[in-house]
Amino acid sequence: MEQAETQVQAEAAAVPVRKQKEKMPKPSWLRAQPPSGEQYQLLKKTVRELKLATVCEEARCPNIGECWGGKKGTATATIMLMGDTCTRACRFCAVKTSRTPPPLDPLEPEKTAEAILRWGLDYVVFTSVTRDDLEDGGSSHIARTIKLLKEHTPAPLVEALTPDFRGNLDSVRRVVESGLDVFAHNVETVENLQHIVRDRRANWKQSLSVLKHAKEVRPDVLTKTSLMLGCGETEEEVRAALRALRDIGVDVVTFGQYLRPTERHMKVHEFITPEAFKKWQQEAEAMGFLYVASGPLVRSSYRAGEFFIKNVLEKRHKEAAAAAAAAAQSQ
């Protein structure tokens, strides 16, 4: 397994990169809230007891203190399904990689549902590692987890941040039809930097096909993606990416600052100012995105965005119920 991990990491290191600046000190606006508090300890304890992985820890998210330390019912932890080892080696990501990761835990969907019920959350976010070693990319595993949660009354709203399943649209359909409310898949960066930032098995067209198919399968589902800034992209490349995303009906986009997790990972090309992030938010909103979260510490799973989306979904559900009741009365 160690040899496999070394192979994957060597492939990532061999990818050519755009000229990057030397290591720069982090600016003041990138200071995050340190982890602490009773709720933080509760979430951490549950994750350990049930042997679950979270992207908050595995990807070294800077917002773990803010998200895990929130009040009961509002604290959030993004559970990472299918273990903690990915078959890909994207140059920005801190998650462990291997060509032969451990087999799936068949009880993980049940354990995950148990954790969500313990936390009392009404909006749940899942992500997962990419499992190219599995025939369906793990889509059945993800779909089962969602279905288990949706069996409860009241059922929580569910957002799933999925891999690209190697472009297998049947796998995309399986997840979308599981009953989720938000289908998320991250393009990560602009089209011209895909081969530099992401694993060679990921690409721009493949990611767009995944997001497009999700919307085609269920037009009512919200689709969501995320872009990292500070990787060497140009402003026109970002605008072109946003136009392409809107053309396929993506509803929600988030912008965040790329932060280098270790010395082995891709360098930061530049630190984007809060003012520049605000500008991108305004531009994206003007293009017609339903919701835009943009800031140095924003990540694809971001509490403010979850609260907004939750309100949108609840409003839609109430309107649909009212319309159904009116239709029944008129018959």
Side-chain angles (χ1 to χ4, degrees), residues 24-32 257-259 268 270-274 277 296-297:
M24 298 171 286
K26 289 182 183 178
S28 60
W29 59 76
L30 285 173
R31 293 172 186 160
Q257 170 71 52
Y258 166 62
L259 296 175
V268 175
E270 68 175 315
F271 289 115
I272 311 300
T273 66
F277 275 106
L297 292 176

Side-chain angles (χ1 to χ4, degrees), residues 186-232:
N186 289 344
V187 295
E188 307 295 4
T189 188
V190 300
E191 183 173 8
N192 290 343
L193 293 180
Q194 293 283 313
H195 68 293
I196 294 174
V197 175
R198 303 174 78 189
D199 183 277
R200 59 182 173 78
R201 287 160 286 188
N203 64 75
W204 178 257
K205 289 182 179 179
Q206 187 164 278
S207 286
L208 257 58
S209 73
V210 166
L211 288 162
K212 181 181 180 183
H213 193 64
K215 188 61 105 172
E216 290 171 343
V217 171
R218 274 186 56 200
D220 63 308
V221 77
L222 292 182
T223 50
K224 177 181 176 183
T225 196
S226 182
L227 285 161
M228 295 181 296
L229 301 183
C231 300

Side-chain angles (χ1 to χ4, degrees), residues 50 52 79 107-119 126 145 148-149 152:
L50 298 176
L52 298 173
I79 292 176
L107 295 179
E108 186 181 49
E110 284 78 8
K111 292 176 182 177
T112 300
E114 181 183 342
I116 299 306
L117 293 175
R118 281 196 201 180
W119 294 335
F126 298 124
T145 306
L148 284 172
L149 280 168
H152 291 277

